[in-house]
PDB file of all heavy atoms in Angstrom:
ATOM      1  N   ARG C 123     265.170 204.256  -7.716  1.00  0.00           N
ATOM      2  CA  ARG C 123     264.927 205.432  -6.860  1.00  0.00           C
ATOM      3  C   ARG C 123     264.788 204.929  -5.409  1.00  0.00           C
ATOM      4  O   ARG C 123     263.841 204.185  -5.093  1.00  0.00           O
ATOM      5  CB  ARG C 123     263.686 206.170  -7.309  1.00  0.00           C
ATOM      6  CG  ARG C 123     263.805 206.762  -8.717  1.00  0.00           C
ATOM      7  CD  ARG C 123     262.479 207.274  -9.243  1.00  0.00           C
ATOM      8  NE  ARG C 123     261.924 208.325  -8.411  1.00  0.00           N
ATOM      9  CZ  ARG C 123     262.163 209.619  -8.552  1.00  0.00           C
ATOM     10  NH1 ARG C 123     262.991 210.035  -9.525  1.00  0.00           N
ATOM     11  NH2 ARG C 123     261.606 210.524  -7.781  1.00  0.00           N
ATOM     12  N   LEU C 124     265.698 205.385  -4.550  1.00  0.00           N
ATOM     13  CA  LEU C 124     265.741 204.928  -3.163  1.00  0.00           C
ATOM     14  C   LEU C 124     265.523 206.109  -2.226  1.00  0.00           C
ATOM     15  O   LEU C 124     266.102 207.207  -2.419  1.00  0.00           O
ATOM     16  CB  LEU C 124     267.093 204.281  -2.854  1.00  0.00           C
ATOM     17  CG  LEU C 124     267.512 203.096  -3.721  1.00  0.00           C
ATOM     18  CD1 LEU C 124     268.919 202.654  -3.351  1.00  0.00           C
ATOM     19  CD2 LEU C 124     266.522 201.962  -3.590  1.00  0.00           C
ATOM     20  N   THR C 125     264.681 205.897  -1.238  1.00  0.00           N
ATOM     21  CA  THR C 125     264.527 206.864  -0.154  1.00  0.00           C
ATOM     22  C   THR C 125     265.316 206.341   1.044  1.00  0.00           C
ATOM     23  O   THR C 125     264.946 205.313   1.629  1.00  0.00           O
ATOM     24  CB  THR C 125     263.043 207.057   0.215  1.00  0.00           C
ATOM     25  OG1 THR C 125     262.336 207.528  -0.950  1.00  0.00           O
ATOM     26  CG2 THR C 125     262.911 208.068   1.326  1.00  0.00           C
ATOM     27  N   LEU C 126     266.437 206.996   1.373  1.00  0.00           N
ATOM     28  CA  LEU C 126     267.319 206.560   2.435  1.00  0.00           C
ATOM     29  C   LEU C 126     266.999 207.292   3.737  1.00  0.00           C
ATOM     30  O   LEU C 126     266.586 208.463   3.730  1.00  0.00           O
ATOM     31  CB  LEU C 126     268.768 206.802   2.048  1.00  0.00           C
ATOM     32  CG  LEU C 126     269.246 206.177   0.739  1.00  0.00           C
ATOM     33  CD1 LEU C 126     270.734 206.459   0.525  1.00  0.00           C
ATOM     34  CD2 LEU C 126     268.975 204.689   0.700  1.00  0.00           C
ATOM     35  N   VAL C 127     267.197 206.600   4.828  1.00  0.00           N
ATOM     36  CA  VAL C 127     267.042 207.185   6.162  1.00  0.00           C
ATOM     37  C   VAL C 127     268.460 207.441   6.700  1.00  0.00           C
ATOM     38  O   VAL C 127     269.244 206.489   6.841  1.00  0.00           O
ATOM     39  CB  VAL C 127     266.257 206.254   7.115  1.00  0.00           C
ATOM     40  CG1 VAL C 127     266.174 206.866   8.494  1.00  0.00           C
ATOM     41  CG2 VAL C 127     264.868 205.985   6.539  1.00  0.00           C
ATOM     42  N   ASP C 128     268.770 208.694   7.000  1.00  0.00           N
ATOM     43  CA  ASP C 128     270.115 209.058   7.451  1.00  0.00           C
ATOM     44  C   ASP C 128     269.999 210.082   8.571  1.00  0.00           C
ATOM     45  O   ASP C 128     269.598 211.230   8.349  1.00  0.00           O
ATOM     46  CB  ASP C 128     270.917 209.648   6.287  1.00  0.00           C
ATOM     47  CG  ASP C 128     272.399 209.853   6.638  1.00  0.00           C
ATOM     48  OD1 ASP C 128     272.775 209.593   7.783  1.00  0.00           O
ATOM     49  OD2 ASP C 128     273.145 210.267   5.737  1.00  0.00           O
ATOM     50  N   GLY C 129     270.313 209.625   9.774  1.00  0.00           N
ATOM     51  CA  GLY C 129     270.268 210.540  10.918  1.00  0.00           C
ATOM     52  C   GLY C 129     268.889 211.066  11.206  1.00  0.00           C
ATOM     53  O   GLY C 129     268.736 212.238  11.567  1.00  0.00           O
ATOM     54  N   GLY C 130     267.875 210.234  10.990  1.00  0.00           N
ATOM     55  CA  GLY C 130     266.516 210.654  11.249  1.00  0.00           C
ATOM     56  C   GLY C 130     265.890 211.428  10.116  1.00  0.00           C
ATOM     57  O   GLY C 130     264.702 211.774  10.178  1.00  0.00           O
ATOM     58  N   GLU C 131     266.609 211.703   9.069  1.00  0.00           N
ATOM     59  CA  GLU C 131     266.085 212.418   7.906  1.00  0.00           C
ATOM     60  C   GLU C 131     266.041 211.474   6.699  1.00  0.00           C
ATOM     61  O   GLU C 131     266.768 210.483   6.648  1.00  0.00           O
ATOM     62  CB  GLU C 131     266.963 213.636   7.591  1.00  0.00           C
ATOM     63  CG  GLU C 131     266.949 214.680   8.685  1.00  0.00           C
ATOM     64  CD  GLU C 131     267.754 215.896   8.294  1.00  0.00           C
ATOM     65  OE1 GLU C 131     268.236 215.918   7.124  1.00  0.00           O
ATOM     66  OE2 GLU C 131     267.880 216.815   9.108  1.00  0.00           O
ATOM     67  N   ARG C 132     265.208 211.836   5.766  1.00  0.00           N
ATOM     68  CA  ARG C 132     265.061 211.017   4.562  1.00  0.00           C
ATOM     69  C   ARG C 132     265.592 211.768   3.357  1.00  0.00           C
ATOM     70  O   ARG C 132     265.395 212.971   3.233  1.00  0.00           O
ATOM     71  CB  ARG C 132     263.589 210.655   4.331  1.00  0.00           C
ATOM     72  CG  ARG C 132     262.999 209.761   5.408  1.00  0.00           C
ATOM     73  CD  ARG C 132     261.655 209.215   4.990  1.00  0.00           C
ATOM     74  NE  ARG C 132     261.132 208.258   5.965  1.00  0.00           N
ATOM     75  CZ  ARG C 132     260.099 207.440   5.728  1.00  0.00           C
ATOM     76  NH1 ARG C 132     259.487 207.490   4.572  1.00  0.00           N
ATOM     77  NH2 ARG C 132     259.702 206.607   6.652  1.00  0.00           N
ATOM     78  N   ARG C 133     266.289 211.016   2.493  1.00  0.00           N
ATOM     79  CA  ARG C 133     266.839 211.605   1.282  1.00  0.00           C
ATOM     80  C   ARG C 133     266.495 210.703   0.102  1.00  0.00           C
ATOM     81  O   ARG C 133     266.558 209.488   0.207  1.00  0.00           O
ATOM     82  CB  ARG C 133     268.357 211.723   1.380  1.00  0.00           C
ATOM     83  CG  ARG C 133     268.809 212.732   2.404  1.00  0.00           C
ATOM     84  CD  ARG C 133     270.332 212.798   2.430  1.00  0.00           C
ATOM     85  NE  ARG C 133     270.912 211.565   2.950  1.00  0.00           N
ATOM     86  CZ  ARG C 133     271.956 210.959   2.397  1.00  0.00           C
ATOM     87  NH1 ARG C 133     272.495 211.439   1.285  1.00  0.00           N
ATOM     88  NH2 ARG C 133     272.470 209.871   2.940  1.00  0.00           N
ATOM     89  N   LEU C 134     266.135 211.296  -1.018  1.00  0.00           N
ATOM     90  CA  LEU C 134     265.799 210.564  -2.241  1.00  0.00           C
ATOM     91  C   LEU C 134     267.014 210.596  -3.175  1.00  0.00           C
ATOM     92  O   LEU C 134     267.521 211.667  -3.514  1.00  0.00           O
ATOM     93  CB  LEU C 134     264.600 211.185  -2.956  1.00  0.00           C
ATOM     94  CG  LEU C 134     264.185 210.545  -4.272  1.00  0.00           C
ATOM     95  CD1 LEU C 134     263.736 209.096  -4.069  1.00  0.00           C
ATOM     96  CD2 LEU C 134     263.079 211.360  -4.943  1.00  0.00           C
ATOM     97  N   ILE C 135     267.483 209.413  -3.570  1.00  0.00           N
ATOM     98  CA  ILE C 135     268.602 209.318  -4.497  1.00  0.00           C
ATOM     99  C   ILE C 135     268.217 208.387  -5.642  1.00  0.00           C
ATOM    100  O   ILE C 135     267.265 207.602  -5.539  1.00  0.00           O
ATOM    101  CB  ILE C 135     269.883 208.820  -3.806  1.00  0.00           C
ATOM    102  CG1 ILE C 135     269.686 207.380  -3.338  1.00  0.00           C
ATOM    103  CG2 ILE C 135     270.286 209.726  -2.657  1.00  0.00           C
ATOM    104  CD1 ILE C 135     270.965 206.744  -2.871  1.00  0.00           C
ATOM    105  N   GLU C 136     268.986 208.454  -6.726  1.00  0.00           N
ATOM    106  CA  GLU C 136     268.775 207.567  -7.867  1.00  0.00           C
ATOM    107  C   GLU C 136     270.079 206.809  -8.148  1.00  0.00           C
ATOM    108  O   GLU C 136     271.135 207.425  -8.287  1.00  0.00           O
ATOM    109  CB  GLU C 136     268.362 208.368  -9.108  1.00  0.00           C
ATOM    110  CG  GLU C 136     266.972 208.978  -9.015  1.00  0.00           C
ATOM    111  CD  GLU C 136     266.559 209.660 -10.304  1.00  0.00           C
ATOM    112  OE1 GLU C 136     267.437 209.843 -11.178  1.00  0.00           O
ATOM    113  OE2 GLU C 136     265.381 210.019 -10.441  1.00  0.00           O
ATOM    114  N   VAL C 137     269.970 205.496  -8.254  1.00  0.00           N
ATOM    115  CA  VAL C 137     271.107 204.639  -8.577  1.00  0.00           C
ATOM    116  C   VAL C 137     270.849 204.092  -9.985  1.00  0.00           C
ATOM    117  O   VAL C 137     269.822 203.464 -10.246  1.00  0.00           O
ATOM    118  CB  VAL C 137     271.261 203.496  -7.568  1.00  0.00           C
ATOM    119  CG1 VAL C 137     272.504 202.677  -7.885  1.00  0.00           C
ATOM    120  CG2 VAL C 137     271.327 204.029  -6.152  1.00  0.00           C
TER     121      VAL C 137
END
Side-chain angles (χ1 to χ4, degrees):
R123 296 170 60 90
L124 303 176
T125 300
L126 304 183
V127 178
D128 189 357
E131 296 184 3
R132 295 191 175 193
R133 293 180 292 136
L134 178 63
I135 65 170
E136 292 184 348
V137 184

